[in-house]
Amino acid sequence: MQHIYIIGSKGIPARYGGYETFVEKLTAGQKSLDIKYHVASRRDNTELSQENDVFEYNGAEIFSIDVPNIGPAQAIAYDIKALQWAIKNAKDIEAEAPIFYILAARIGPFMGKYVKQIHALGGTYLINPDGHEWKRAKWPLPVRKYWKVSEKGMVKHADLVVCDNRKIEEYIQDEYGAFKPATTFIAYGTDTMPSSLSKNDATVENWFHKKNIQENNYYLIVGRFVPENNYETMIREFMKSDSQKDLVIVTNVEKNKFYQKLLQTTSFNEDKRIKFVGTVYDQPLLRYIRENAFAYIHGHEVGGTNPSLLESLSSTQLNLLVDVGFNRDVAHDAAIYWTKEDGYLANTINRADQYTEKQMINNKSVANQIIQEDYTWDKIIYNYEQLILGENK
């Protein structure tokens, strides 16, 4: 039996974002009976974690970790405590050649000590560095500096760096070539099933009526409301465009400081087309909203393979993506690319509005082919199982 300890997601059942969904899909879709997953979960992640120190979910052993609320350092404390638990457990159960897979590069300065312990067990340490956490504007400068130092330490000590985007793999090889890191590329996945809802479902009718939105008559943005996702550029440029369609923004604004700043700099409240509609946690409804958008605008530029991008490629007929390597690596020719240059996105939106039905159908077909060939969860799970079972042979 190959034991693998997964550390760094908030835990499953998944309530959050990319890493949690990845672990949920990896364990739920498990095919090989030769793998036993052990997954760290923050105590506050779900009721199951609050009520149990250890429990089974999706056939995996979930272990709950208590972590103090100490700001950005909370994530660091969580990963360290989870890794300590995992190393002790592997020792206790006498796991043969256990694998420790850490998602996100948060505990680099401490890894040297723990890697010695892992290797003493005959174990292997894998890291998934995510995107460029140290570039995220939400972190104060000292925190960003720490993330960069931490990434270096995580990569330096890794037996293997697993990258979900080829551009991340290139970056790791270029930036940390001195360590001669072993790297591999395994993408993130996405669901390909169409929404179970239809136009006449009450959920759909109520949402569209309440938000005053018509199917196929809106551009869509879905994502965390943070500066590095380029909301200011997308809103400002949409306002400059001649489009008669709405711009529907699905995000958690909660009237935060960034929202207030945007309001001041763009006066978007004076443009009736701009519609902040809050978050949508109902997955079939969100899928329906994606499927019935005229086009999707994607401004993420610091992550690797972004889950929201994969979802839009698998469900929205046309995608307008900020022109960065991560996005081109995924979408290739199945998108229109834009830069942050003044007027560029506005012109791109005007051009998209003129797309013929034939262009739309062709674009959607190319995007769907990319998803089916490279980004289904079945393929990602298969790739991970091959990696896990081959890692210690």
Side-chain angles (χ1 to χ4, degrees):
M1 179 64 70
Q2 179 63 67
H3 292 271
I4 175 162
Y5 295 85
I6 301 180
I7 289 151
S9 79
K10 292 186 180 77
I12 51 175
R15 279 194 341 193
Y16 294 92
Y19 277 144
E20 291 72 40
T21 303
F22 160 67
V23 179
E24 179 96 44
K25 296 292 183 182
L26 183 68
T27 53
Q30 183 174 346
K31 296 178 177 45
S32 170
L33 299 175
D34 297 326
I35 298 170
K36 179 65 180 180
Y37 291 107
H38 309 261
V39 180
S41 177
R42 267 175 40 162
R43 184 72 76 179
D44 60 0
N45 182 51
T46 59
E47 272 183 40
L48 286 170
S49 286
Q50 283 159 17
E51 292 164 6
N52 303 281
D53 290 335
V54 178
F55 60 95
E56 285 274 320
Y57 180 79
N58 282 355
E61 179 185 59
I62 317 300
F63 55 97
S64 304
I65 299 294
D66 293 293
V67 56
N69 188 2
I70 46 175
Q74 185 177 38
I76 299 165
Y78 170 55
D79 286 358
I80 289 173
K81 287 180 82 171
L83 183 56
Q84 288 169 342
W85 190 99
I87 291 170
K88 181 179 184 303
N89 182 262
K91 211 177 283 182
D92 290 348
I93 65 172
E94 297 180 350
E96 192 181 329
I99 296 171
F100 299 82
Y101 187 26
I102 303 181
L103 310 174
R106 292 185 288 239
I107 54 172
F110 313 96
M111 274 315 293
K113 176 174 95 170
Y114 293 112
V115 168
K116 281 181 189 150
Q117 294 175 28
I118 287 167
H119 289 166
L121 290 171
T124 311
Y125 153 53
L126 278 54
I127 169 70
N128 184 317
D130 193 14
H132 298 324
E133 189 67 30
W134 48 273
K135 278 189 179 176
R136 295 193 190 280
K138 69 174 181 176
W139 300 118
L141 188 62
V143 175
R144 294 212 295 271
K145 284 182 172 171
Y146 171 81
W147 290 143
K148 186 73 178 91
V149 168
S150 183
E151 178 184 88
K152 184 179 179 180
M154 296 296 278
V155 173
K156 178 183 178 182
H157 295 291
D159 295 307
L160 182 68
V161 183
V162 183
C163 308
D164 70 14
N165 188 288
R166 279 167 286 249
K167 290 294 172 188
I168 290 279
E169 188 173 16
E170 282 175 25
Y171 160 76
I172 295 292
Q173 291 290 355
D174 292 346
E175 185 78 0
Y176 302 114
F179 304 141
K180 298 189 169 49
T183 60
T184 190
F185 161 66
I186 303 182
Y188 189 83
T190 192
D191 289 322
T192 52
M193 284 290 289
S195 174
S196 54
L197 297 173
S198 69
K199 189 179 176 71
N200 301 322
D201 278 292
T203 313
V204 169
E205 284 187 344
N206 291 343
W207 192 87
F208 277 82
H209 177 71
K210 192 173 158 193
K211 308 296 183 188
N212 190 24
I213 296 162
Q214 272 81 45
E215 275 105 329
N216 201 40
N217 198 40
Y218 56 94
Y219 284 78
L220 179 67
I221 299 172
V222 182
R224 283 188 305 170
F225 197 59
V226 290
E228 67 265 16
N229 288 349
N230 286 307
Y231 278 95
E232 182 167 355
T233 302
M234 293 187 289
I235 290 168
R236 193 190 293 284
E237 292 288 318
F238 193 89
M239 290 170 70
K240 278 186 199 167
S241 80
D242 303 324
S243 184
Q244 299 300 301
K245 296 175 172 63
D246 289 329
L247 177 63
V248 173
I249 304 170
V250 177
T251 190
N252 55 323
V253 291
E254 290 150 15
K255 304 291 189 290
N256 63 17
K257 279 183 193 163
F258 178 47
Y259 181 89
Q260 298 301 340
K261 179 174 173 271
L262 268 187
L263 199 51
Q264 284 173 345
T265 54
T266 67
S267 302
F268 63 75
N269 55 319
E270 292 170 18
D271 189 328
K272 290 188 169 59
R273 297 172 300 167
I274 312 290
K275 295 179 175 174
F276 279 89
V277 296
T279 45
V280 178
Y281 291 115
D282 178 333
Q283 290 306 308
L285 175 59
L286 182 57
R287 180 87 186 184
Y288 184 91
I289 293 164
R290 285 183 177 281
E291 288 168 356
N292 289 278
F294 173 76
Y296 178 78
I297 307 179
H298 188 70
H300 295 56
E301 64 174 338
V302 304
T305 296
N306 184 268
S308 197
L309 171 58
L310 295 181
E311 285 168 36
S312 64
L313 282 174
S314 77
S315 56
T316 310
Q317 60 183 355
L318 183 61
N319 289 275
L320 281 54
L321 315 180
V322 66
D323 194 355
V324 293
F326 300 134
N327 294 338
R328 280 194 180 268
D329 182 60
V330 175
H332 307 297
D333 299 333
I336 308 177
Y337 295 94
W338 52 271
T339 71
K340 293 189 276 185
E341 187 187 327
D342 187 40
Y344 199 107
L345 178 54
N347 290 332
T348 304
I349 290 163
N350 292 340
R351 202 169 54 159
D353 269 350
Q354 303 306 315
Y355 259 44
T356 63
E357 191 177 349
K358 187 180 176 187
Q359 282 175 300
M360 286 292 202
I361 289 167
N362 179 55
N363 203 79
K364 190 172 183 179
S365 160
V366 175
N368 284 346
Q369 192 177 348
I370 288 169
I371 294 294
Q372 290 299 337
E373 284 178 8
D374 295 326
Y375 296 102
T376 63
W377 280 117
D378 272 352
K379 175 166 184 169
I380 305 311
I381 291 164
Y382 173 80
N383 288 346
Y384 264 99
E385 293 194 352
Q386 294 295 105
L387 173 71
I388 291 162
L389 293 173
E391 188 57 33
N392 289 310
K393 285 195 178 137

